[in-house]
Amino acid sequence: MASQMISSVFSRALVSSTRSTLSQGRACQLRRVVCRYSTTAAAEEPITPPVKVKYTQLLINGKFVDSASGKKFKTNDPRTGNVIAEVAEGDVEDINRAVAAARKAFDEGPWPKMTAYQRSQILLKFADLLDQHTDEIAALETWDNGKPYEQAAKIELPMCARIMRYYAGWADKIHGLTMPADGPHHVQTLHEPIGVAGQIIPWNFPLLMFVWKIGPALACGNSVVMKTAEQTPLTALYAAKLLHEAGLPDGVLNVVSGYGPTAGAALASHMDVDKLAFTGSTETGKLVLEMAAKSNLKSVTLELGGKSPFIVCKDADIDKAVELAHFALFFNQGQCCCAGSRTYVHESVYNEFVEKAKARAIKRVVGDPFRKDIEQGPQIDSEQFEKVMQYIRSGIESGAKLETGGEQLGSKGFYIQPTVFSNVNEDMLIAKDEIFGPVQSILKFKDLGEVVRRANASPYGLAAGVFTQDIDTANTLARALRVGTVWVNCFDVFDAGIPFGGYKMSGQGREKGIYSLMNYLQVKAVVTPLKDPAWL
Ligand code: NAI
Ligand code: MG
């Protein structure tokens, strides 16, 4: 399932769950929610999450431990802002302990010394355990993050298991080459793990980002220190425990919850970390790159922000384009680095598109993410909520036309109405900045050369969507756009083997697929003389 496009899987999952819950009693409840987002379940009492929080300590050297300082921080429920749990707060000393454990596991421990096949068996077992614990982990993810439970359980968790199986498959297929030399030498390359990988992840896809990062690192034989996002520490701790149950030796994966400027910065600037992988904002990406350079020149991969164009040509299937443009922007509450957040529509179909996009946004089902029929939950926290509301105000002030939405939904938590702006142009902040919220901006274009120039005139270059029925137009736009992924007549199609990453200020390097393996390997050339070339 995970190999299929998220959009179709998601809509199918939604339809089937909607059908399955349409028992008589729930039907009217459902109808009430479906009809109008402005009277959604956001205003109702939050559903009690069907899960208990088990793990709140740091996971260092195979054991759950308190932070060295004894400090804790609160992780909150985005539906209400209430505290879910107090979690051990890692800082410099904890990062030092975690890096020391990872160093020992790498230098002395069994992980890089195990056969690659043995490593792959542990990763496969972990994938099975993820499958077995899907309901519980998905519930934790929804509670901590606010994303629809259906999305977490039916798309993201299966995708996590899929990704782990993909990398388990790679573990014993990573090897070097032999090459000819201009002389009497035997030349080969060895592909070796780098050592201790530091990994810093964000809150928008907490468990997916966790497996995107640990998958290639562990398959290649590295050890890891993971710093999770302060907004969403819970699922990584749970999953890391499962990985130990699957047989991961102590110290190979250490998980430190905590804040960026303390624990995150300590990891990025640590002298004994050999490689850093970061996903988050471009602003913080610059900081960690600088810390890596100023400390020990550890190699860095960055997966950063975006302002991805979604181009609807005049010959596009408009209804499909409206639906996918809606999905491209609103999926995950608009909190996606690759969100299609500049919707460019050809002038000949612009008015029709705007009307339909507005109608679709009004129909969007927003409410308690634990309800089965929900498409959109709350934003992650008050900071992101305020940021998005500020952009909405800025859109109105700069003269864009607010077609629908624009307000908070309910009075509790961080719900925002699905918002659509038309008559947007590139001078406006809403067309320049990464909003990271449920705010669609629709721009008009006249010809393809013009839209390519406008789409590329951004410091970002993460992804793009192209909607056309003309193969030549599709191929030409795919080549002309300066982005890491072009989705043609589809969007947000992710699979383990498809590389993902950005041009320009959207990042450095690629994750997933074979490309990600090279981030976690050193290449060693081994050259030996031949005894007597005449024997060959
Ligand atoms: P952020 O980039 O500050 O946080 C991401 C991760 O980096 C978190 O684990 C955080 O603790 C860590 N971090 C923060 N400051 C650090 C530092 N000085 N040293 C080391 N690590 C540090 O993102 P934030 O503040 O959560 O969100 C701000 C904006 O960033 C969002 O509104 C959105 O536009 C963008 N963003 C993009 C993401 C993406 O997937 N590309 C994910 C999350 C946020
Ligand atoms: Mg921050």
mmCIF file of all heavy atoms in Angstrom, residues 197-201 213 267 275-279 288 299-303 511 519-520:
data_model
loop_
_atom_site.group_PDB
_atom_site.id
_atom_site.type_symbol
_atom_site.label_atom_id
_atom_site.label_comp_id
_atom_site.label_asym_id
_atom_site.label_seq_id
_atom_site.Cartn_x
_atom_site.Cartn_y
_atom_site.Cartn_z
ATOM 1 N N ALA A 197 26.336 8.894 13.659
ATOM 2 C CA ALA A 197 25.507 9.851 12.922
ATOM 3 C C ALA A 197 24.635 10.618 13.911
ATOM 4 O O ALA A 197 23.936 10.011 14.734
ATOM 5 C CB ALA A 197 24.637 9.115 11.910
ATOM 6 N N GLY A 198 24.688 11.938 13.844
ATOM 7 C CA GLY A 198 23.776 12.788 14.621
ATOM 8 C C GLY A 198 22.596 13.130 13.727
ATOM 9 O O GLY A 198 22.785 13.486 12.559
ATOM 10 N N GLN A 199 21.386 13.011 14.249
ATOM 11 C CA GLN A 199 20.212 13.254 13.418
ATOM 12 C C GLN A 199 19.231 14.138 14.171
ATOM 13 O O GLN A 199 18.914 13.874 15.339
ATOM 14 C CB GLN A 199 19.570 11.912 13.040
ATOM 15 C CG GLN A 199 20.595 10.969 12.368
ATOM 16 C CD GLN A 199 19.990 9.686 11.834
ATOM 17 O OE1 GLN A 199 19.149 9.088 12.487
ATOM 18 N NE2 GLN A 199 20.433 9.253 10.664
ATOM 19 N N ILE A 200 18.759 15.178 13.515
ATOM 20 C CA ILE A 200 17.832 16.136 14.143
ATOM 21 C C ILE A 200 16.574 16.194 13.284
ATOM 22 O O ILE A 200 16.657 16.462 12.083
ATOM 23 C CB ILE A 200 18.480 17.534 14.251
ATOM 24 C CG1 ILE A 200 19.761 17.461 15.091
ATOM 25 C CG2 ILE A 200 17.488 18.538 14.847
ATOM 26 C CD1 ILE A 200 20.535 18.774 15.177
ATOM 27 N N ILE A 201 15.439 15.938 13.903
ATOM 28 C CA ILE A 201 14.209 15.839 13.104
ATOM 29 C C ILE A 201 13.131 16.819 13.592
ATOM 30 O O ILE A 201 13.158 17.272 14.736
ATOM 31 C CB ILE A 201 13.649 14.391 13.110
ATOM 32 C CG1 ILE A 201 13.434 13.861 14.534
ATOM 33 C CG2 ILE A 201 14.567 13.469 12.321
ATOM 34 C CD1 ILE A 201 12.725 12.515 14.583
ATOM 35 N N LYS A 213 15.503 8.669 8.634
ATOM 36 C CA LYS A 213 16.883 8.942 9.057
ATOM 37 C C LYS A 213 17.591 7.690 9.572
ATOM 38 O O LYS A 213 18.726 7.420 9.190
ATOM 39 C CB LYS A 213 16.878 10.006 10.164
ATOM 40 C CG LYS A 213 16.380 11.365 9.704
ATOM 41 C CD LYS A 213 17.506 12.333 9.543
ATOM 42 C CE LYS A 213 17.077 13.708 9.081
ATOM 43 N NZ LYS A 213 16.164 13.775 7.943
ATOM 44 N N LEU A 267 24.574 18.531 19.638
ATOM 45 C CA LEU A 267 24.792 17.415 18.698
ATOM 46 C C LEU A 267 25.471 17.917 17.417
ATOM 47 O O LEU A 267 26.432 17.311 16.925
ATOM 48 C CB LEU A 267 23.436 16.762 18.369
ATOM 49 C CG LEU A 267 23.450 15.466 17.585
ATOM 50 C CD1 LEU A 267 24.274 14.393 18.288
ATOM 51 C CD2 LEU A 267 22.012 14.950 17.365
ATOM 52 N N LYS A 275 28.786 12.559 11.285
ATOM 53 C CA LYS A 275 27.890 12.958 10.197
ATOM 54 C C LYS A 275 26.615 13.538 10.810
ATOM 55 O O LYS A 275 26.137 13.045 11.850
ATOM 56 C CB LYS A 275 27.551 11.707 9.370
ATOM 57 C CG LYS A 275 26.828 11.973 8.077
ATOM 58 C CD LYS A 275 25.375 11.665 8.165
ATOM 59 C CE LYS A 275 24.535 12.207 7.037
ATOM 60 N NZ LYS A 275 24.930 13.375 6.332
ATOM 61 N N LEU A 276 26.072 14.579 10.179
ATOM 62 C CA LEU A 276 24.860 15.196 10.708
ATOM 63 C C LEU A 276 23.787 15.203 9.625
ATOM 64 O O LEU A 276 24.052 15.579 8.476
ATOM 65 C CB LEU A 276 25.154 16.640 11.138
ATOM 66 C CG LEU A 276 23.994 17.351 11.824
ATOM 67 C CD1 LEU A 276 23.790 16.829 13.246
ATOM 68 C CD2 LEU A 276 24.232 18.858 11.870
ATOM 69 N N ALA A 277 22.588 14.781 9.996
ATOM 70 C CA ALA A 277 21.444 14.862 9.079
ATOM 71 C C ALA A 277 20.375 15.691 9.770
ATOM 72 O O ALA A 277 20.034 15.441 10.926
ATOM 73 C CB ALA A 277 20.911 13.468 8.768
ATOM 74 N N PHE A 278 19.855 16.674 9.056
ATOM 75 C CA PHE A 278 18.904 17.606 9.665
ATOM 76 C C PHE A 278 17.690 17.778 8.765
ATOM 77 O O PHE A 278 17.820 17.934 7.553
ATOM 78 C CB PHE A 278 19.586 18.972 9.860
ATOM 79 C CG PHE A 278 18.638 20.052 10.306
ATOM 80 C CD1 PHE A 278 18.317 20.198 11.648
ATOM 81 C CD2 PHE A 278 18.054 20.913 9.386
ATOM 82 C CE1 PHE A 278 17.419 21.186 12.066
ATOM 83 C CE2 PHE A 278 17.157 21.899 9.792
ATOM 84 C CZ PHE A 278 16.850 22.030 11.138
ATOM 85 N N THR A 279 16.518 17.792 9.345
ATOM 86 C CA THR A 279 15.309 18.222 8.635
ATOM 87 C C THR A 279 14.623 19.281 9.473
ATOM 88 O O THR A 279 14.433 19.100 10.685
ATOM 89 C CB THR A 279 14.336 17.050 8.395
ATOM 90 O OG1 THR A 279 14.964 16.079 7.569
ATOM 91 C CG2 THR A 279 13.070 17.519 7.688
ATOM 92 N N VAL A 288 22.962 24.850 11.754
ATOM 93 C CA VAL A 288 23.627 23.569 12.043
ATOM 94 C C VAL A 288 24.785 23.330 11.073
ATOM 95 O O VAL A 288 25.799 22.720 11.442
ATOM 96 C CB VAL A 288 22.650 22.355 12.083
ATOM 97 C CG1 VAL A 288 21.641 22.520 13.192
ATOM 98 C CG2 VAL A 288 21.978 22.096 10.756
ATOM 99 N N SER A 299 30.242 15.796 7.875
ATOM 100 C CA SER A 299 29.457 15.997 6.655
ATOM 101 C C SER A 299 27.991 16.194 7.039
ATOM 102 O O SER A 299 27.511 15.652 8.039
ATOM 103 C CB SER A 299 29.622 14.815 5.700
ATOM 104 O OG SER A 299 29.089 13.657 6.280
ATOM 105 N N VAL A 300 27.294 16.989 6.228
ATOM 106 C CA VAL A 300 25.937 17.402 6.596
ATOM 107 C C VAL A 300 24.979 17.177 5.429
ATOM 108 O O VAL A 300 25.298 17.519 4.294
ATOM 109 C CB VAL A 300 25.916 18.905 6.984
ATOM 110 C CG1 VAL A 300 24.505 19.357 7.355
ATOM 111 C CG2 VAL A 300 26.871 19.188 8.141
ATOM 112 N N THR A 301 23.829 16.599 5.720
ATOM 113 C CA THR A 301 22.736 16.626 4.747
ATOM 114 C C THR A 301 21.589 17.416 5.355
ATOM 115 O O THR A 301 21.335 17.341 6.569
ATOM 116 C CB THR A 301 22.251 15.206 4.371
ATOM 117 O OG1 THR A 301 22.231 14.391 5.544
ATOM 118 C CG2 THR A 301 23.151 14.574 3.350
ATOM 119 N N LEU A 302 20.915 18.183 4.502
ATOM 120 C CA LEU A 302 19.874 19.094 4.976
ATOM 121 C C LEU A 302 18.614 18.914 4.136
ATOM 122 O O LEU A 302 18.685 18.910 2.900
ATOM 123 C CB LEU A 302 20.336 20.545 4.820
ATOM 124 C CG LEU A 302 21.615 20.967 5.563
ATOM 125 C CD1 LEU A 302 22.047 22.363 5.104
ATOM 126 C CD2 LEU A 302 21.378 20.953 7.073
ATOM 127 N N GLU A 303 17.491 18.774 4.814
ATOM 128 C CA GLU A 303 16.210 18.729 4.114
ATOM 129 C C GLU A 303 15.388 19.858 4.702
ATOM 130 O O GLU A 303 14.960 19.783 5.855
ATOM 131 C CB GLU A 303 15.580 17.351 4.344
ATOM 132 C CG GLU A 303 14.596 16.968 3.266
ATOM 133 C CD GLU A 303 13.207 17.422 3.611
ATOM 134 O OE1 GLU A 303 12.504 16.685 4.294
ATOM 135 O OE2 GLU A 303 12.851 18.544 3.194
ATOM 136 N N GLU A 511 17.420 12.176 0.517
ATOM 137 C CA GLU A 511 17.053 11.096 1.428
ATOM 138 C C GLU A 511 16.253 10.064 0.651
ATOM 139 O O GLU A 511 15.736 10.332 -0.425
ATOM 140 C CB GLU A 511 16.219 11.649 2.591
ATOM 141 C CG GLU A 511 17.007 12.656 3.399
ATOM 142 C CD GLU A 511 16.426 12.897 4.771
ATOM 143 O OE1 GLU A 511 15.367 13.523 4.849
ATOM 144 O OE2 GLU A 511 17.040 12.449 5.755
ATOM 145 N N ASN A 519 25.073 8.971 1.905
ATOM 146 C CA ASN A 519 25.220 9.916 3.020
ATOM 147 C C ASN A 519 25.833 9.248 4.237
ATOM 148 O O ASN A 519 26.321 9.918 5.139
ATOM 149 C CB ASN A 519 23.859 10.463 3.459
ATOM 150 C CG ASN A 519 23.130 11.186 2.354
ATOM 151 O OD1 ASN A 519 23.771 11.695 1.436
ATOM 152 N ND2 ASN A 519 21.821 11.237 2.432
ATOM 153 N N TYR A 520 25.734 7.928 4.300
ATOM 154 C CA TYR A 520 26.134 7.215 5.516
ATOM 155 C C TYR A 520 27.313 6.273 5.273
ATOM 156 O O TYR A 520 27.572 5.388 6.074
ATOM 157 C CB TYR A 520 24.923 6.455 6.086
ATOM 158 C CG TYR A 520 23.900 7.433 6.615
ATOM 159 C CD1 TYR A 520 22.826 7.841 5.833
ATOM 160 C CD2 TYR A 520 24.060 8.003 7.872
ATOM 161 C CE1 TYR A 520 21.921 8.783 6.310
ATOM 162 C CE2 TYR A 520 23.165 8.933 8.355
ATOM 163 C CZ TYR A 520 22.096 9.328 7.568
ATOM 164 O OH TYR A 520 21.216 10.263 8.038
#
